[in-house]
Amino acid sequence: PFKSGFGEISRTIYAIGSLNRSALPDFLELLVESDNPKMVLDSDYRLLREIIEIESEKWFLEMKNNMPYFPEMQLHLGKIKPRHSIKSLVINRLSHELFPNETVVIMQEIPGEKVLISARRQDGKVLLNKILEECVKGLRDANGGGHIQASAAIVRLEDESIFVKRLKEQLVKKIYLVE
């Protein structure tokens, strides 16, 4: 779906939202006034899309080649430090293209503050929303949950190791496994 003209426009909107949110109203005006997707895709906004695509490709390859894997939990667990907000692009691609039947978790640090966490598992065999809810219980300023196949959490930087320990414990227990 993202290879089509509309998919390209979707990625452009994502890039503008990540790099220059204030440009969104002008972009949407261009979108409404354009005769076809090509006019939009050939606009100067393509440069923002290209910046995000280059960075997300870099981190996708980094995670593909170097992300730690824990086979007893079917867990791929990585941490990225991108310049821009690309965590969702990277994890969605990893989960769909490489590891649809395994759990993928990507963490991204907000320097000195918090850790943003995304979890994906396309086969739905693990209730990721419940696991992430359990992992953040009792942690100050933390939140977690979402959907069975796609969930997220946020924890304070100092609680990252607690979160990871709990995540592994939950996956080993298999309480939230769907047969």
Side-chain angles (χ1 to χ4, degrees), residues 108-160:
Q108 180 178 342
E109 180 181 329
I110 299 172
E113 294 179 39
K114 301 211 179 245
V115 178
L116 305 175
I117 302 151
S118 290
R120 303 285 188 274
R121 183 164 178 137
Q122 298 309 314
D123 65 8
K125 289 188 176 180
V126 174
L127 303 176
L128 291 176
N129 54 338
K130 299 296 183 192
I131 288 177
L132 268 55
E133 287 171 12
E134 288 295 321
C135 290
V136 300
K137 272 189 181 169
L139 298 179
R140 199 173 96 224
D141 301 326
N143 197 350
H147 305 282
I148 292 170
Q149 295 171 299
S151 294
I154 185 167
V155 299
R156 294 178 309 155
L157 185 57
E158 57 263 33
D159 292 330
E160 178 183 345

Tab-separated table of all heavy atoms in Angstrom, residues 108-160:
chain	number	residue	atom	x	y	z
A	108	GLN	N	13.523	3.978	21.860
A	108	GLN	CA	14.174	5.213	21.427
A	108	GLN	C	14.221	6.172	22.610
A	108	GLN	O	13.188	6.533	23.165
A	108	GLN	CB	13.426	5.845	20.255
A	108	GLN	CG	14.056	7.126	19.765
A	108	GLN	CD	13.320	7.719	18.568
A	108	GLN	OE1	12.553	7.061	17.890
A	108	GLN	NE2	13.562	8.991	18.311
A	109	GLU	N	15.405	6.560	22.976
A	109	GLU	CA	15.589	7.449	24.122
A	109	GLU	C	15.338	8.901	23.731
A	109	GLU	O	15.795	9.365	22.698
A	109	GLU	CB	17.011	7.311	24.661
A	109	GLU	CG	17.303	8.186	25.851
A	109	GLU	CD	18.741	8.049	26.339
A	109	GLU	OE1	19.314	6.956	26.195
A	109	GLU	OE2	19.274	9.036	26.856
A	110	ILE	N	14.591	9.587	24.585
A	110	ILE	CA	14.530	11.044	24.534
A	110	ILE	C	15.645	11.465	25.483
A	110	ILE	O	15.523	11.244	26.689
A	110	ILE	CB	13.163	11.582	25.006
A	110	ILE	CG1	12.047	11.053	24.113
A	110	ILE	CG2	13.182	13.105	25.034
A	110	ILE	CD1	10.660	11.376	24.635
A	111	PRO	N	16.752	11.986	24.960
A	111	PRO	CA	17.970	12.172	25.771
A	111	PRO	C	17.711	12.771	27.153
A	111	PRO	O	17.105	13.819	27.291
A	111	PRO	CB	18.832	13.093	24.907
A	111	PRO	CG	18.392	12.788	23.511
A	111	PRO	CD	16.916	12.514	23.608
A	112	GLY	N	18.174	12.012	28.162
A	112	GLY	CA	18.111	12.462	29.539
A	112	GLY	C	16.744	12.448	30.177
A	112	GLY	O	16.589	12.865	31.315
A	113	GLU	N	15.721	11.955	29.471
A	113	GLU	CA	14.364	12.029	29.999
A	113	GLU	C	13.645	10.694	30.047
A	113	GLU	O	13.475	10.100	31.099
A	113	GLU	CB	13.520	12.983	29.142
A	113	GLU	CG	13.937	14.430	29.176
A	113	GLU	CD	13.039	15.263	28.282
A	113	GLU	OE1	11.821	15.006	28.254
A	113	GLU	OE2	13.564	16.165	27.614
A	114	LYS	N	13.191	10.244	28.888
A	114	LYS	CA	12.311	9.081	28.810
A	114	LYS	C	12.771	8.148	27.701
A	114	LYS	O	13.611	8.491	26.886
A	114	LYS	CB	10.877	9.521	28.542
A	114	LYS	CG	10.332	10.443	29.617
A	114	LYS	CD	8.850	10.269	29.762
A	114	LYS	CE	8.350	11.183	30.857
A	114	LYS	NZ	7.827	10.484	31.975
A	115	VAL	N	12.163	6.976	27.688
A	115	VAL	CA	12.379	6.015	26.623
A	115	VAL	C	11.014	5.710	25.999
A	115	VAL	O	10.064	5.355	26.703
A	115	VAL	CB	13.024	4.710	27.152
A	115	VAL	CG1	13.205	3.706	26.025
A	115	VAL	CG2	14.351	5.006	27.823
A	116	LEU	N	10.932	5.898	24.691
A	116	LEU	CA	9.729	5.551	23.934
A	116	LEU	C	9.898	4.121	23.441
A	116	LEU	O	10.944	3.765	22.901
A	116	LEU	CB	9.566	6.492	22.743
A	116	LEU	CG	9.558	7.985	23.047
A	116	LEU	CD1	9.518	8.789	21.756
A	116	LEU	CD2	8.388	8.335	23.936
A	117	ILE	N	8.872	3.313	23.600
A	117	ILE	CA	8.957	1.893	23.283
A	117	ILE	C	7.815	1.520	22.351
A	117	ILE	O	6.664	1.852	22.610
A	117	ILE	CB	8.883	1.048	24.568
A	117	ILE	CG1	10.012	1.452	25.516
A	117	ILE	CG2	8.930	-0.442	24.250
A	117	ILE	CD1	9.704	1.251	26.975
A	118	SER	N	8.162	0.827	21.269
A	118	SER	CA	7.158	0.289	20.356
A	118	SER	C	7.320	-1.213	20.282
A	118	SER	O	8.443	-1.719	20.246
A	118	SER	CB	7.316	0.879	18.953
A	118	SER	OG	6.953	2.231	18.933
A	119	ALA	N	6.202	-1.927	20.263
A	119	ALA	CA	6.222	-3.388	20.172
A	119	ALA	C	5.273	-3.825	19.064
A	119	ALA	O	4.181	-3.271	18.922
A	119	ALA	CB	5.804	-4.000	21.507
A	120	ARG	N	5.720	-4.829	18.296
A	120	ARG	CA	4.907	-5.354	17.209
A	120	ARG	C	5.027	-6.875	17.164
A	120	ARG	O	6.076	-7.441	17.452
A	120	ARG	CB	5.363	-4.818	15.847
A	120	ARG	CG	5.382	-3.314	15.701
A	120	ARG	CD	3.985	-2.757	15.549
A	120	ARG	NE	4.013	-1.334	15.232
A	120	ARG	CZ	4.075	-0.359	16.118
A	120	ARG	NH1	4.136	-0.643	17.410
A	120	ARG	NH2	4.067	0.898	15.745
A	121	ARG	N	3.931	-7.512	16.762
A	121	ARG	CA	3.934	-8.943	16.447
A	121	ARG	C	2.737	-9.178	15.535
A	121	ARG	O	1.591	-9.132	15.979
A	121	ARG	CB	3.857	-9.805	17.694
A	121	ARG	CG	3.941	-11.288	17.307
A	121	ARG	CD	4.251	-12.183	18.441
A	121	ARG	NE	4.251	-13.564	17.954
A	121	ARG	CZ	5.158	-14.441	18.311
A	121	ARG	NH1	6.133	-14.103	19.123
A	121	ARG	NH2	5.085	-15.672	17.846
A	122	GLN	N	3.006	-9.460	14.286
A	122	GLN	CA	1.956	-9.501	13.273
A	122	GLN	C	1.040	-10.716	13.364
A	122	GLN	O	-0.113	-10.638	12.942
A	122	GLN	CB	2.579	-9.420	11.868
A	122	GLN	CG	3.329	-8.132	11.614
A	122	GLN	CD	2.533	-6.895	11.948
A	122	GLN	OE1	1.361	-6.771	11.591
A	122	GLN	NE2	3.157	-5.952	12.644
A	123	ASP	N	1.520	-11.842	13.905
A	123	ASP	CA	0.665	-13.027	13.945
A	123	ASP	C	-0.360	-13.010	15.081
A	123	ASP	O	-1.219	-13.878	15.165
A	123	ASP	CB	1.497	-14.316	13.978
A	123	ASP	CG	2.329	-14.481	15.243
A	123	ASP	OD1	2.185	-13.690	16.197
A	123	ASP	OD2	3.154	-15.422	15.268
A	124	GLY	N	-0.288	-12.009	15.965
A	124	GLY	CA	-1.277	-11.874	17.033
A	124	GLY	C	-1.198	-12.942	18.108
A	124	GLY	O	-2.115	-13.075	18.920
A	125	LYS	N	-0.119	-13.703	18.163
A	125	LYS	CA	-0.015	-14.801	19.132
A	125	LYS	C	0.411	-14.346	20.519
A	125	LYS	O	0.441	-15.149	21.443
A	125	LYS	CB	0.946	-15.870	18.614
A	125	LYS	CG	0.373	-16.637	17.439
A	125	LYS	CD	1.234	-17.807	17.074
A	125	LYS	CE	0.574	-18.609	15.970
A	125	LYS	NZ	1.388	-19.751	15.582
A	126	VAL	N	0.751	-13.090	20.664
A	126	VAL	CA	1.118	-12.535	21.965
A	126	VAL	C	0.295	-11.267	22.168
A	126	VAL	O	0.219	-10.422	21.280
A	126	VAL	CB	2.631	-12.215	22.025
A	126	VAL	CG1	2.984	-11.512	23.316
A	126	VAL	CG2	3.467	-13.476	21.856
A	127	LEU	N	-0.325	-11.148	23.325
A	127	LEU	CA	-1.135	-9.961	23.629
A	127	LEU	C	-0.199	-8.826	24.077
A	127	LEU	O	0.005	-8.591	25.264
A	127	LEU	CB	-2.162	-10.279	24.715
A	127	LEU	CG	-3.124	-11.441	24.414
A	127	LEU	CD1	-4.015	-11.714	25.613
A	127	LEU	CD2	-3.942	-11.148	23.177
A	128	LEU	N	0.376	-8.143	23.101
A	128	LEU	CA	1.365	-7.118	23.415
A	128	LEU	C	0.796	-6.011	24.295
A	128	LEU	O	1.491	-5.499	25.174
A	128	LEU	CB	1.925	-6.514	22.119
A	128	LEU	CG	2.803	-7.448	21.287
A	128	LEU	CD1	3.202	-6.762	19.991
A	128	LEU	CD2	4.033	-7.871	22.070
A	129	ASN	N	-0.455	-5.656	24.077
A	129	ASN	CA	-1.053	-4.597	24.891
A	129	ASN	C	-1.044	-4.967	26.371
A	129	ASN	O	-0.692	-4.155	27.220
A	129	ASN	CB	-2.467	-4.270	24.400
A	129	ASN	CG	-3.381	-5.484	24.319
A	129	ASN	OD1	-2.941	-6.635	24.239
A	129	ASN	ND2	-4.665	-5.240	24.310
A	130	LYS	N	-1.392	-6.202	26.681
A	130	LYS	CA	-1.418	-6.654	28.086
A	130	LYS	C	-0.005	-6.730	28.660
A	130	LYS	O	0.228	-6.358	29.815
A	130	LYS	CB	-2.103	-8.017	28.209
A	130	LYS	CG	-3.552	-8.010	27.755
A	130	LYS	CD	-4.382	-7.120	28.637
A	130	LYS	CE	-5.844	-7.163	28.233
A	130	LYS	NZ	-6.614	-6.114	28.862
A	131	ILE	N	0.933	-7.221	27.867
A	131	ILE	CA	2.316	-7.321	28.339
A	131	ILE	C	2.876	-5.948	28.667
A	131	ILE	O	3.474	-5.747	29.727
A	131	ILE	CB	3.189	-8.060	27.310
A	131	ILE	CG1	2.826	-9.548	27.315
A	131	ILE	CG2	4.674	-7.857	27.605
A	131	ILE	CD1	3.564	-10.380	26.288
A	132	LEU	N	2.679	-4.978	27.781
A	132	LEU	CA	3.219	-3.639	28.039
A	132	LEU	C	2.524	-2.979	29.228
A	132	LEU	O	3.175	-2.266	29.997
A	132	LEU	CB	3.149	-2.765	26.786
A	132	LEU	CG	4.419	-2.822	25.924
A	132	LEU	CD1	4.820	-4.197	25.504
A	132	LEU	CD2	4.343	-1.878	24.769
A	133	GLU	N	1.243	-3.242	29.398
A	133	GLU	CA	0.542	-2.730	30.587
A	133	GLU	C	1.193	-3.287	31.852
A	133	GLU	O	1.394	-2.551	32.828
A	133	GLU	CB	-0.942	-3.116	30.545
A	133	GLU	CG	-1.750	-2.343	29.530
A	133	GLU	CD	-3.166	-2.896	29.346
A	133	GLU	OE1	-3.608	-3.747	30.160
A	133	GLU	OE2	-3.835	-2.482	28.376
A	134	GLU	N	1.500	-4.575	31.854
A	134	GLU	CA	2.139	-5.207	33.020
A	134	GLU	C	3.540	-4.650	33.261
A	134	GLU	O	3.956	-4.466	34.398
A	134	GLU	CB	2.217	-6.725	32.838
A	134	GLU	CG	0.896	-7.439	32.954
A	134	GLU	CD	0.291	-7.338	34.343
A	134	GLU	OE1	1.033	-7.412	35.344
A	134	GLU	OE2	-0.940	-7.176	34.431
A	135	CYS	N	4.264	-4.404	32.184
A	135	CYS	CA	5.656	-3.950	32.303
A	135	CYS	C	5.782	-2.563	32.930
A	135	CYS	O	6.809	-2.246	33.524
A	135	CYS	CB	6.328	-3.947	30.931
A	135	CYS	SG	6.624	-5.596	30.264
A	136	VAL	N	4.761	-1.735	32.799
A	136	VAL	CA	4.850	-0.371	33.327
A	136	VAL	C	4.152	-0.199	34.675
A	136	VAL	O	4.246	0.873	35.279
A	136	VAL	CB	4.297	0.673	32.321
A	136	VAL	CG1	5.080	0.638	31.030
A	136	VAL	CG2	2.810	0.478	32.065
A	137	LYS	N	3.472	-1.242	35.154
A	137	LYS	CA	2.754	-1.146	36.431
A	137	LYS	C	3.692	-0.703	37.546
A	137	LYS	O	4.759	-1.272	37.749
A	137	LYS	CB	2.122	-2.479	36.808
A	137	LYS	CG	0.751	-2.660	36.246
A	137	LYS	CD	0.080	-3.890	36.815
A	137	LYS	CE	-1.291	-4.037	36.178
A	137	LYS	NZ	-1.891	-5.325	36.487
A	138	GLY	N	3.263	0.347	38.245
A	138	GLY	CA	4.017	0.826	39.395
A	138	GLY	C	5.205	1.716	39.057
A	138	GLY	O	5.839	2.248	39.966
A	139	LEU	N	5.500	1.881	37.795
A	139	LEU	CA	6.604	2.767	37.409
A	139	LEU	C	6.076	4.201	37.317
A	139	LEU	O	5.042	4.446	36.686
A	139	LEU	CB	7.208	2.347	36.065
A	139	LEU	CG	7.842	0.969	36.001
A	139	LEU	CD1	8.375	0.687	34.591
A	139	LEU	CD2	8.956	0.830	37.025
A	140	ARG	N	6.777	5.117	37.946
A	140	ARG	CA	6.352	6.516	37.969
A	140	ARG	C	6.404	7.113	36.568
A	140	ARG	O	7.350	6.889	35.811
A	140	ARG	CB	7.255	7.295	38.924
A	140	ARG	CG	6.625	8.622	39.358
A	140	ARG	CD	7.430	9.320	40.424
A	140	ARG	NE	8.288	10.284	39.749
A	140	ARG	CZ	9.565	10.484	40.013
A	140	ARG	NH1	10.148	9.799	40.963
A	140	ARG	NH2	10.255	11.363	39.359
A	141	ASP	N	5.376	7.876	36.219
A	141	ASP	CA	5.286	8.582	34.941
A	141	ASP	C	5.380	7.653	33.741
A	141	ASP	O	5.843	8.059	32.666
A	141	ASP	CB	6.368	9.662	34.835
A	141	ASP	CG	6.275	10.698	35.936
A	141	ASP	OD1	5.137	11.011	36.360
A	141	ASP	OD2	7.328	11.189	36.382
A	142	ALA	N	4.963	6.402	33.893
A	142	ALA	CA	5.014	5.438	32.798
A	142	ALA	C	3.604	5.131	32.310
A	142	ALA	O	2.635	5.266	33.052
A	142	ALA	CB	5.700	4.159	33.261
A	143	ASN	N	3.528	4.705	31.059
A	143	ASN	CA	2.253	4.350	30.474
A	143	ASN	C	2.522	3.309	29.399
A	143	ASN	O	3.552	3.355	28.733
A	143	ASN	CB	1.583	5.578	29.874
A	143	ASN	CG	0.110	5.384	29.623
A	143	ASN	OD1	-0.413	4.278	29.718
A	143	ASN	ND2	-0.560	6.469	29.282
A	144	GLY	N	1.600	2.376	29.218
A	144	GLY	CA	1.779	1.366	28.188
A	144	GLY	C	0.479	0.687	27.838
A	144	GLY	O	-0.427	0.610	28.657
A	145	GLY	N	0.391	0.212	26.619
A	145	GLY	CA	-0.792	-0.488	26.148
A	145	GLY	C	-0.941	-0.325	24.660
A	145	GLY	O	0.013	-0.013	23.960
A	146	GLY	N	-2.142	-0.555	24.179
A	146	GLY	CA	-2.391	-0.400	22.744
A	146	GLY	C	-3.213	-1.542	22.203
A	146	GLY	O	-4.205	-1.949	22.801
A	147	HIS	N	-2.765	-2.080	21.094
A	147	HIS	CA	-3.468	-3.159	20.406
A	147	HIS	C	-2.702	-4.467	20.589
A	147	HIS	O	-1.534	-4.472	20.954
A	147	HIS	CB	-3.598	-2.837	18.915
A	147	HIS	CG	-4.241	-1.523	18.650
A	147	HIS	ND1	-5.596	-1.330	18.742
A	147	HIS	CD2	-3.704	-0.324	18.320
A	147	HIS	CE1	-5.872	-0.064	18.473
A	147	HIS	NE2	-4.744	0.570	18.211
A	148	ILE	N	-3.336	-5.572	20.281
A	148	ILE	CA	-2.696	-6.877	20.421
A	148	ILE	C	-1.425	-6.952	19.577
A	148	ILE	O	-0.384	-7.387	20.041
A	148	ILE	CB	-3.682	-8.012	20.043
A	148	ILE	CG1	-4.795	-8.095	21.082
A	148	ILE	CG2	-2.953	-9.347	19.891
A	148	ILE	CD1	-5.945	-8.999	20.694
A	149	GLN	N	-1.495	-6.514	18.341
A	149	GLN	CA	-0.363	-6.640	17.422
A	149	GLN	C	0.567	-5.434	17.412
A	149	GLN	O	1.690	-5.531	16.901
A	149	GLN	CB	-0.872	-6.888	16.003
A	149	GLN	CG	-1.588	-8.226	15.885
A	149	GLN	CD	-2.275	-8.380	14.556
A	149	GLN	OE1	-3.153	-7.598	14.214
A	149	GLN	NE2	-1.878	-9.397	13.815
A	150	ALA	N	0.123	-4.321	17.940
A	150	ALA	CA	0.930	-3.099	17.911
A	150	ALA	C	0.661	-2.303	19.180
A	150	ALA	O	-0.442	-1.810	19.381
A	150	ALA	CB	0.591	-2.261	16.681
A	151	SER	N	1.671	-2.207	20.025
A	151	SER	CA	1.517	-1.506	21.294
A	151	SER	C	2.713	-0.605	21.537
A	151	SER	O	3.723	-0.702	20.844
A	151	SER	CB	1.384	-2.511	22.439
A	151	SER	OG	0.187	-3.238	22.301
A	152	ALA	N	2.578	0.254	22.538
A	152	ALA	CA	3.652	1.192	22.850
A	152	ALA	C	3.671	1.473	24.337
A	152	ALA	O	2.701	1.220	25.049
A	152	ALA	CB	3.461	2.493	22.068
A	153	ALA	N	4.801	1.995	24.781
A	153	ALA	CA	4.953	2.384	26.179
A	153	ALA	C	5.934	3.544	26.245
A	153	ALA	O	6.679	3.815	25.296
A	153	ALA	CB	5.456	1.218	27.019
A	154	ILE	N	5.899	4.212	27.392
A	154	ILE	CA	6.869	5.255	27.678
A	154	ILE	C	7.261	5.097	29.146
A	154	ILE	O	6.395	4.898	30.002
A	154	ILE	CB	6.321	6.674	27.362
A	154	ILE	CG1	7.398	7.723	27.560
A	154	ILE	CG2	5.057	6.967	28.145
A	154	ILE	CD1	7.042	9.089	26.988
A	155	VAL	N	8.566	5.121	29.399
A	155	VAL	CA	9.072	4.997	30.765
A	155	VAL	C	10.176	6.026	30.975
A	155	VAL	O	10.784	6.511	30.016
A	155	VAL	CB	9.617	3.574	31.069
A	155	VAL	CG1	8.519	2.532	30.927
A	155	VAL	CG2	10.807	3.228	30.207
A	156	ARG	N	10.419	6.339	32.239
A	156	ARG	CA	11.540	7.217	32.551
A	156	ARG	C	12.833	6.484	32.199
A	156	ARG	O	12.914	5.257	32.282
A	156	ARG	CB	11.550	7.604	34.026
A	156	ARG	CG	10.357	8.460	34.441
A	156	ARG	CD	10.368	8.790	35.912
A	156	ARG	NE	10.552	7.563	36.693
A	156	ARG	CZ	11.075	7.516	37.910
A	156	ARG	NH1	11.475	8.617	38.513
A	156	ARG	NH2	11.193	6.387	38.547
A	157	LEU	N	13.842	7.231	31.822
A	157	LEU	CA	15.130	6.658	31.440
A	157	LEU	C	15.671	5.733	32.520
A	157	LEU	O	16.161	4.638	32.239
A	157	LEU	CB	16.121	7.788	31.125
A	157	LEU	CG	17.478	7.388	30.587
A	157	LEU	CD1	17.348	6.551	29.324
A	157	LEU	CD2	18.317	8.624	30.311
A	158	GLU	N	15.528	6.135	33.778
A	158	GLU	CA	16.059	5.317	34.873
A	158	GLU	C	15.277	4.014	35.080
A	158	GLU	O	15.739	3.124	35.797
A	158	GLU	CB	16.147	6.109	36.186
A	158	GLU	CG	14.835	6.702	36.651
A	158	GLU	CD	14.647	8.161	36.248
A	158	GLU	OE1	15.133	8.570	35.178
A	158	GLU	OE2	13.994	8.887	37.016
A	159	ASP	N	14.112	3.891	34.456
A	159	ASP	CA	13.315	2.665	34.583
A	159	ASP	C	13.443	1.740	33.373
A	159	ASP	O	12.782	0.691	33.313
A	159	ASP	CB	11.840	3.018	34.794
A	159	ASP	CG	11.583	3.664	36.144
A	159	ASP	OD1	12.324	3.346	37.101
A	159	ASP	OD2	10.656	4.484	36.244
A	160	GLU	N	14.284	2.092	32.424
A	160	GLU	CA	14.428	1.284	31.210
A	160	GLU	C	14.812	-0.164	31.523
A	160	GLU	O	14.211	-1.106	30.992
A	160	GLU	CB	15.469	1.897	30.277
A	160	GLU	CG	15.711	1.082	29.025
A	160	GLU	CD	16.791	1.657	28.141
A	160	GLU	OE1	17.195	2.831	28.317
A	160	GLU	OE2	17.254	0.916	27.246
